[in-house]
Amino acid sequence: MENLIGLLVAVPLLGAALLLCGGRRLDGKGHYIGTVLAASSFAIGAVLFADMLGRGEHDRALHSHVFSWIPVGGFHADVAFQLDQLSMTFVLLITGVGTLIHVYSIGYMEHDERRRRFFGYLNLFLAAMLLLVLADNYLLLYVGWEGVGLASYLLIGFWQHKPSAATAAKKAFIVNRVGDVGLSIAIMLMFTTFGSFAFAPVLAEADRAGEGKLTAIGLMLLLAACGKSAQVPLQSWLGDAMEGPTPVSALIHAATMVTAGVYLITRSGAIFNAAPDAQAAVVTVGAVTLLFGAIVGCAKDDIKKALAGSTMSQIGYMILAAGLGPIGYVFAIMHLVTHGFFKAGLFLGAGSVMHSMNDEVDMRKYGGLRKYMPITFITFGLGYLAIIGFPGLSGFWSKDKIIEAAFAKGGTEGWILGGAALLGAAITAYYMTRVMLMTFFGEKRWVADENGNEPHPHESPGSMTFPMIVLAFGSVFAGGLFSLNDAFVKWLEPVTGHSHGDSPLSAAAVTGGTMVVLVIGVGLAWAQYGRRPVPRTAPRGSLLTRAARRDLLQDDFNHVALVQPGQYLTRGLVYVDHKLVDGVVNGTAASVGGLSGRLRKLQNGYARTYAVSMFGGTAVLIAATLLMRAV
């Protein structure tokens, strides 16, 4: 079975190579090749999963050594894979949801002349993410980490003829490079501290290292996670990433890129458990981001950007749970998986709406679409109910567990974190109900564009609705199956560990509180958007609303705090270079040139001049000699 692990990465990587290097002869069938190879990787993962279930819970980890990558003296790096319960969870999510997104893309990208290249990039994305979660050491994980960054850049900017898409791709790439610096520094610190960057020795010896070093490593890992998972303060790229095709948004937000940070923190749990300050920083980032993203989502009229704010918020819940240590690791991953189902379904549903509305994204120009798109309405609606935590659906089981874990932190900190999580749940219910009402309810608000083309809403083709139906089933049933007899906790506990903490509230009390805030959030949205007509243009709104429309001024802050100082620094360095460095160099050259020009006049070619010079020099030497003797 160990030999199959490498195939998980190799199969989609082969697809990327074929589709990107195979030329135009594959244009007519490239989408089928990409989809079949993604499905093949999922099939291999299913075989490995079945084999893992047949083993004892403490005997399920598999290792596969492929080759020695960098054997240089005391520095040794291997290309080797580790498949345990944690990585297997990600393998099934990445390949399963990824395959459904491939199937959806067959219809969505049908008329795009670069469809073959698009599927090549999708395969590359899957391969890079699988490498990231299967690596048995941080250096190989870093290769997958960078591969995910490259693939996201290519896919976000896929429609590069649009300046906004090209700019968004560059923004995502640059912001993520900031986080990547953190990961590279963390790996260097690991090597100097432990003499290795493989998971086994680093995590086994973490509790014996100095707390200061572990805090530094943990903070650098958190910086990396903030970049990939769009957490404060490196969250600014996520909303702009919606410029890519909608299947890309589903892949990035549900199954791949933004989940990488949660995986990194959970995999490095031993480091954070031994570094309380770093763990506190993780919790703080998660709590701040879950509220930040939720507030942003409330003010967006662009359906994809509203869902992007939702992703930022839900990943915040996962980071918060991961920062709680053994109390929350399992529930962070559980919510990650359930979120993979309902968020992929929501994005694909949004893409279905756009497909029938001439690519219109402004929800103020929708309305009443449930009558024209019944399958999209039902599947999107189930995803909506799941994300707000409606009782019995997937989000109810996973997000409520995170809220319980937050309170179980104990003390004042537990009350603050639990309160933040509850407030986030209320805001989630509000903005997702707003999305649902503005899109599928009320009277139609679409009109003809400047060319006289009026949208004619219709249901999407089967290649698009089938993945949405499958994901809707996951949105409904996955959380309940995971919670049955604590199945998911028992599955991950041998890898992540688990403790119950000391909650001041019972599970029933927490559930009751989440139901109350859910009703409040839904009720406020219904009062604002369900009982009254939705205006075609957004009103000016309050100061907070205007700030939220601009992503709570995150770009403005980055411009003032980072861009402008960088520009001033650059201009200062250019000035120093021109005036000081170039001045010294050019001044030296000018001095030598001037001196040589004057000395050159002595070399005039006349013998009598040279004779006089020689005589004068001799006379000076004789006079000097006589003077010295006299003295």
Side-chain angles (χ1 to χ4, degrees):
M1 285 295 171
E2 291 83 352
N3 295 330
L4 291 179
I5 300 176
L7 288 178
L8 288 168
V9 180
V11 169
L13 190 60
L14 172 63
L18 286 174
L19 296 176
L20 297 177
C21 303
R24 294 182 177 178
R25 69 176 73 92
L26 297 178
D27 280 351
K29 47 186 175 290
H31 48 291
Y32 294 121
I33 294 173
T35 303
V36 168
L37 290 177
S40 299
S41 187
F42 173 71
I44 295 169
V47 171
L48 288 166
F49 176 62
D51 175 73
M52 186 175 285
L53 287 177
R55 301 171 181 265
E57 63 179 23
H58 295 287
D59 188 35
R60 285 173 169 168
L62 297 175
H63 290 81
S64 175
H65 181 272
V66 182
F67 62 89
S68 294
W69 180 17
I70 312 175
V72 180
F75 183 84
H76 189 82
D78 293 329
V79 172
F81 300 124
Q82 172 180 303
L83 184 67
D84 57 16
Q85 292 93 314
L86 178 60
S87 50
M88 174 57 77
T89 302
F90 276 84
V91 164
L92 294 177
L93 175 67
I94 294 163
T95 57
V97 175
T99 298
L100 292 173
I101 292 171
H102 276 70
V103 173
Y104 179 93
S105 300
I106 293 175
Y108 191 87
M109 301 295 289
E110 181 179 4
H111 302 294
D112 196 296
E113 59 184 15
R114 300 168 65 235
R115 181 164 61 163
R116 169 183 56 82
R117 180 172 296 184
F118 179 80
F119 276 82
Y121 292 160
L122 288 183
N123 273 199
L124 179 62
F125 213 146
L126 293 190
M129 189 66 191
L130 288 167
L131 178 63
L132 190 159
V133 300
L134 287 170
D136 85 332
N137 62 81
Y138 285 96
L139 192 61
L140 188 59
L141 178 149
Y142 186 80
V143 176
W145 193 271
E146 292 300 313
V148 168
L150 171 63
S152 67
Y153 169 78
L154 296 171
L155 285 167
I156 293 170
F158 184 75
W159 287 328
Q160 55 196 246
H161 60 277
K162 297 165 55 180
S164 56
T167 301
K170 288 188 290 184
K171 184 177 182 180
F173 192 82
I174 292 170
V175 173
N176 272 272
R177 296 294 72 73
V178 177
D180 295 351
V181 170
L183 182 55
S184 62
I185 293 174
I187 294 172
M188 295 177 200
L189 290 174
M190 288 176 193
F191 190 77
T192 58
T193 303
F194 304 104
S196 175
F197 36 71
F199 292 153
V202 170
L203 300 179
E205 298 175 17
D207 58 352
R208 292 192 289 273
E211 186 176 320
K213 289 184 178 179
L214 291 177
T215 298
I217 294 172
L219 291 176
M220 291 299 100
L221 292 174
L222 174 60
L223 179 63
C226 286
K228 277 290 182 288
S229 295
Q231 300 293 284
V232 172
L234 300 179
Q235 79 285 9
S236 61
W237 65 270
L238 192 64
D240 293 322
M242 299 303 97
E243 291 293 336
T246 300
V248 175
S249 304
L251 192 61
I252 288 176
H253 288 247
T256 56
M257 188 166 177
V258 296
T259 64
V262 183
Y263 171 79
L264 180 66
I265 293 174
T266 305
R267 176 62 76 185
S268 307
I271 294 173
F272 288 97
N273 293 342
D277 291 340
Q279 202 169 57
V282 174
V283 168
T284 302
V285 166
V288 170
T289 308
L290 76 87
L291 294 175
F292 188 104
I295 293 171
V296 168
C298 291
K300 295 296 184 181
D301 291 329
D302 183 321
I303 187 171
K304 290 176 65 178
K305 290 193 174 184
L307 294 178
S310 166
T311 297
M312 192 187 305
S313 178
Q314 297 304 307
I315 298 294
Y317 273 103
M318 300 171 207
I319 296 292
L320 168 63
L324 296 173
I327 302 174
Y329 288 137
V330 170
F331 302 126
I333 303 303
M334 181 177 173
H335 192 54
L336 186 150
V337 177
T338 59
H339 177 265
F341 286 113
F342 57 69
K343 184 51 63 67
L346 289 169
F347 266 110
L348 297 188
S352 178
V353 170
M354 292 167 57
H355 184 264
S356 72
M357 294 292 291
N358 297 344
D359 290 327
E360 178 61 65
V361 296
D362 188 347
M363 293 184 292
R364 294 185 180 276
K365 299 179 181 178
Y366 292 164
L369 292 180
R370 70 185 187 280
K371 296 179 290 186
Y372 304 91
M373 309 178 69
I375 297 176
T376 299
F377 167 63
I378 293 172
T379 55
F380 192 97
L382 292 173
Y384 151 72
L385 293 174
I387 195 173
I388 68 172
F390 190 82
L393 274 69
S394 290
F396 168 80
W397 299 105
S398 58
K399 189 161 64 176
D400 273 26
K401 289 296 184 182
I402 293 177
I403 298 173
E404 289 178 27
F407 280 109
K409 182 70 174 177
T412 304
E413 186 180 0
W415 284 103
I416 293 173
L417 295 176
L422 276 176
L423 178 59
I427 302 174
T428 300
Y430 171 80
Y431 70 74
M432 285 306 304
T433 302
R434 174 179 180 269
V435 169
M436 196 72 188
L437 293 173
M438 291 178 71
T439 302
F440 293 102
F441 290 87
E443 299 298 323
K444 77 164 194 172
R445 297 184 297 276
W446 61 85
V447 294
D449 60 20
E450 61 273 9
N451 298 319
N453 299 320
E454 182 176 333
H456 297 284
H458 56 279
E459 191 56 86
S460 298
S463 63
M464 294 173 63
T465 56
F466 171 74
M468 291 157 57
I469 293 171
V470 175
L471 291 168
F473 273 95
S475 300
V476 174
F477 299 111
L481 291 175
F482 293 160
S483 299
L484 190 64
N485 296 322
D486 289 331
F488 201 82
V489 173
K490 294 175 181 177
W491 167 255
L492 277 186
E493 186 174 5
V495 178
T496 63
H498 181 63
S499 65
H500 294 285
D502 185 20
S503 177
L505 300 176
S506 66
V510 173
T511 299
T514 57
M515 292 301 99
V516 170
V517 300
L518 184 153
V519 171
I520 292 173
V522 172
L524 288 174
W526 172 256
Q528 188 171 357
Y529 295 95
R531 297 182 60 187
R532 64 184 72 171
V534 176
R536 285 190 171 90
T537 57
R540 179 176 173 80
S542 65
L543 180 62
L544 178 60
T545 300
R546 297 197 299 274
R549 286 175 186 153
R550 297 177 59 182
D551 300 326
L552 291 181
L553 309 180
Q554 55 185 330
D555 285 332
D556 303 80
F557 173 81
N558 289 342
H559 186 75
V560 172
L562 301 174
V563 176
Q564 285 186 338
Q567 291 174 337
Y568 293 141
L569 176 61
T570 302
R571 291 168 187 164
L573 292 174
V574 169
Y575 180 84
V576 170
D577 182 58
H578 286 171
K579 298 298 183 181
L580 182 61
V581 178
D582 288 353
V584 171
V585 173
N586 295 336
T588 302
S591 299
V592 172
L595 180 62
S596 63
R598 288 171 175 79
L599 292 175
R600 186 171 64 243
K601 294 179 180 180
L602 300 177
Q603 306 294 323
N604 55 17
Y606 294 109
R608 59 182 180 272
T609 303
Y610 299 155
V612 171
S613 298
M614 293 170 65
F615 175 77
T618 302
V620 169
L621 288 174
I622 293 172
T625 302
L626 292 174
L627 181 62
M628 291 178 64
R629 284 184 177 182
V631 174

